[in-house]
Structures are given as structure tokens and as C-alpha cells.
């Protein structure tokens, strides 16, 4: 009897340890995606003057498809019947997460700074949390307070230390991008469990490129093409391979493990990451007010990311 009781005690502890390890991996994957996407705002801003937005996004997904194909094509072929069965859902996720979101981000890069892009995108976790609450998920006092604390830090950061705002046209495009990305993250929770992550990912990449193809043809006809330089090619490779293939895989996996709302709290780190990249790559200095705002964001993330 003693041995049986001991076995019953060990099993729950093992399950609890497994859940903690999975949650830790989910938070780590969300952090990887957030850091990589922070760099994409710098690259997007860098391409704004040389590559038309629609053309940049189209080639982004062509490159992403080529990068992930060696790993995902076989799984997608095996699950082609399943993909056809859920094609309407996959197309909807593609529209918000691949086509609209990234086009809006590249459009915003024409008229706003990379820092503003990163800071405004930090509003998307609030929308993710609202979606999760509407879907019946209990956020809990700690996570709700962490989310509000981080959101307050973002608002102060955007307002340069005050709650007043002076948005450019690009800032409004970024708010649209934040809404689109939050909608995509909410849709990920409805992904059929039997559909493989890589098969889902490559299908969205291919569909995204196809959706953008007509707009790409119009852009080339009206605006002309762009000159492929080492700088432009490097930035396209970064947004295609790292920000698309790597970051989307990490984010999708994180959402499947810890949920969109909790992953969204980690996403609040994006303004901090963008500021750090601005310091390293552009020499932009961070003052005391910005450091205070970042402390609020980091404190909110620490609270919201815990169980």
C-alpha cells in the first residue's frame, strides 16, 4: 500500500514538472519570436525608401517559402487532404497573419520610425487578452495586472513620458497591423490539432504570396521594380528567413503551448528590444524617462508571464 501511495504522489509531481517545462519552453519561444521581429522593424524601415511595400512583402513570403520548404514540404504533402478540408480556416489565418499584417507593417515604414513601429505593435497583446477573455479564458489577477502595467509603460513610451499622442500616418497603419496580428494569434488557438505545424506554416506562406501576387503585379507596373543591392538583399533575406520562417514557427508553437494571451505578455518586450537594437545599430540613446517606461514593461511581462 505504501508503494502504491508513493507512486500516486510521484505521478502528479512528474506531470507538474512536465507542465512547468512546457510553459518555460513556450515563454522562451515567444521571446525568440519577439526579438527576431524587433529586428524586422529596423530592416523594414531600412527598405522603405528603396523597395515598395507590396513588393517587399511578396518577396518576403517567396523567400520564406523557399527557406522552410526542405523541412515542411513532405509533411504538407502527406497532409494535403487535411489541408483541403480546413482550407477556409487556413486562408483566413493567412489573410490576417501573413497578407494584411506584414503589408501594413511595410506600409507604416514609409512614414514612421522603427521605434514607433515596435512600440505601437506592443498594443496587440491587449487585443489578444480581450480575445482570450471573450473565448472564456480566465486571465487571473496577476496576469491582468501585469498586462495593464506593461500597457501603461507602452503608452508612456509612445507619448514621450506623457499620455499625449501625436500620431503620424504610419502610426495608424501600425495600429491596423497590431489588430491584424492579434486576430491571427487568436485564430491560432483554433488550428486543428491533427494539422502539423510545419504543414500549416508553409501553406500560409504559399497562400500569402498568392494573395499578394495581383497587388505585386500592379505595383511593378505602376511603380517599377527595385534595384537588388547587397544591403537590400540582406534585409530581404532577414525578413524572409528569420522574421518569417523562424519567428512565425516559434510564435505559433508558443501560442499552442501557453496560449495567445500569455504569449502576448512576452510580446510587450518588443519596445525594449527595438530600443536596444536602435542603440546598437543606430547609436540612439535611451534617456531616464525611457528607462522608467521599459522598467514598467519588463515588470509587467514578469508578472503576466507567470502562472
Amino acid at each position: 500500500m505504501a508503494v502504491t501511495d508513493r507512486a500516486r504522489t510521484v505521478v502528479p509531481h512528474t506531470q507538474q514538472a512536465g507542465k512547468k517545462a512546457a510553459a518555460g519552453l513556450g515563454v522562451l519561444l515567444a521571446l525568440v519570436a519577439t526579438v527576431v521581429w524587433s529586428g524586422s522593424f529596423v530592416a523594414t524601415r531600412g527598405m522603405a525608401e528603396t523597395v515598395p511595400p507590396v513588393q517587399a512583402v511578396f518577396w518576403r513570403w517567396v523567400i520564406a517559402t523557399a527557406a522552410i520548404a526542405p523541412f515542411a514540404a513532405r509533411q504538407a504533402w502527406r497532409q494535403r487532404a487535411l489541408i483541403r478540408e480546413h482550407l477556409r480556416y487556413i486562408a483566413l489565418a493567412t489573410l490576417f497573419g501573413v497578407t494584411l499584417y506584414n503589408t501594413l507593417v511595410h506600409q507604416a515604414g514609409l512614414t514612421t520610425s522603427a521605434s514607433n513601429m515596435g512600440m505601437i505593435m506592443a498594443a496587440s497583446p491587449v487585443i489578444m487578452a480581450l480575445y482570450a477573455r471573450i473565448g472564456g479564458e480566465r486571465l487571473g489577477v496577476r496576469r491582468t495586472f501585469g498586462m495593464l502595467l506593461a500597457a501603461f509603460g507602452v503608452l508612456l513610451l509612445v507619448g514621450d513620458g506623457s499620455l499625449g499622442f501625436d500620431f503620424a500616418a504610419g502610426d495608424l497603419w501600425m495600429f491596423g497591423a497590431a489588430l491584424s496580428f492579434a486576430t491571427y494569434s487568436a485564430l491560432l488557438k483554433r488550428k486543428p490539432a491533427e494539422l502539423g505545424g510545419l504543414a500549416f506554416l508553409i501553406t500560409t506562406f504559399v497562400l500569402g504570396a498568392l494573395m499578394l501576387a495581383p497587388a505585386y503585379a500592379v505595383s511593378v507596373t505602376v511603380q517599377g521594380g527595385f534595384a537588388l543591392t547587397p544591403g537590400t538583399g540582406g534585409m530581404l533575406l532577414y525578413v524572409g528567413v528569420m522574421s518569417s520562417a523562424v519567428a512565425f514557427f516559434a510564435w505559433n508553437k508558443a501560442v499552442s503551448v501557453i496560449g495567445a494571451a500569455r504569449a502576448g505578455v512576452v510580446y510587450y518586450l518588443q519596445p525594449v528590444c527595438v530600443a536596444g537594437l536602435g542603440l546598437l545599430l543606430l547609436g540612439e540613446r535611451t534617456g531616464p524617462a525611457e528607462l522608467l517606461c521599459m522598467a514598467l514593461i519588463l515588470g509587467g511581462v514578469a508578472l503576466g508571464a507567470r502562472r
Side-chain angles (χ1 to χ4, degrees):
M1 180 66 70
V3 174
T4 304
D5 291 340
R6 184 179 179 183
R8 289 175 180 174
T9 304
V10 171
V11 170
H13 281 304
T14 303
Q15 292 176 342
Q16 186 177 11
K19 289 180 179 179
K20 287 183 178 180
L25 176 62
V27 171
L28 178 62
L29 289 171
L31 180 60
V32 168
T34 298
V35 172
V36 173
W37 277 329
S38 298
S40 75
F41 290 127
V42 177
T44 298
R45 180 61 179 164
M47 288 188 289
E49 304 299 327
T50 56
V51 186
V54 171
Q55 296 182 40
V57 179
F58 175 79
W59 284 110
R60 171 178 184 157
W61 296 117
V62 170
I63 294 170
T65 301
I68 202 174
F71 310 98
R74 182 174 299 179
Q75 185 183 88
W77 177 253
R78 288 199 307 265
Q79 297 190 330
R80 59 190 183 279
L82 194 61
I83 291 171
R84 285 196 299 268
E85 180 183 349
H86 298 286
L87 190 58
R88 293 176 64 181
Y89 160 77
I90 298 173
L92 186 63
T94 300
L95 177 65
F96 284 103
V98 174
T99 307
L100 283 179
Y101 165 59
N102 290 280
T103 302
L104 291 171
V105 168
H106 281 262
Q107 184 66 35
L110 295 174
T111 52
T112 193
S113 66
S115 296
N116 271 20
M117 292 164 70
M119 288 186 286
I120 294 172
M121 268 306 297
S124 60
V126 178
I127 309 171
M128 294 179 204
L130 291 176
Y131 279 140
R133 187 67 187 89
I134 292 171
E137 181 178 339
R138 295 186 62 184
L139 301 181
V141 175
R142 177 182 291 170
R143 198 192 309 179
T144 301
F145 180 73
M147 180 186 71
L148 293 175
L149 183 64
F152 182 68
V154 170
L155 289 175
L156 287 179
L157 199 58
V158 174
D160 291 328
S162 70
L163 294 180
F165 303 98
D166 183 19
F167 295 126
D171 298 333
L172 298 178
W173 287 116
M174 281 307 302
F175 276 115
L179 176 61
S180 183
F181 180 73
T183 304
Y184 168 75
S185 297
L187 285 170
L188 287 179
K189 293 297 291 181
R190 298 181 177 273
K191 186 180 80 67
E194 64 273 19
L195 180 60
L198 289 173
F200 173 78
L201 208 60
I202 193 171
T203 305
T204 60
F205 290 177
V206 172
L207 286 177
L210 291 174
M211 288 179 183
L212 286 163
Y216 173 79
V218 172
S219 175
V220 171
T221 302
V222 175
Q223 298 174 290
F226 61 90
L228 185 61
T229 65
T232 300
M235 287 184 283
L236 282 174
L237 284 174
Y238 181 86
V239 298
V241 177
M242 296 301 296
S243 298
S244 299
V246 174
F248 267 82
F249 177 81
W251 182 259
N252 291 1
K253 185 65 176 178
V255 170
S256 70
V257 173
I258 61 176
R262 196 166 173 218
V265 176
V266 180
Y267 195 76
Y268 273 122
L269 288 170
Q270 189 155 249
V272 181
C273 296
V274 173
L277 289 172
L279 176 63
L280 291 174
L281 302 177
L282 305 175
E284 296 177 351
R285 297 293 175 181
T286 302
E290 287 79 9
L291 290 175
L292 173 61
C293 296
M294 290 180 190
L296 293 173
I297 295 171
L298 288 169
V301 169
L303 285 173
R306 293 180 60 190
R307 283 287 185 190

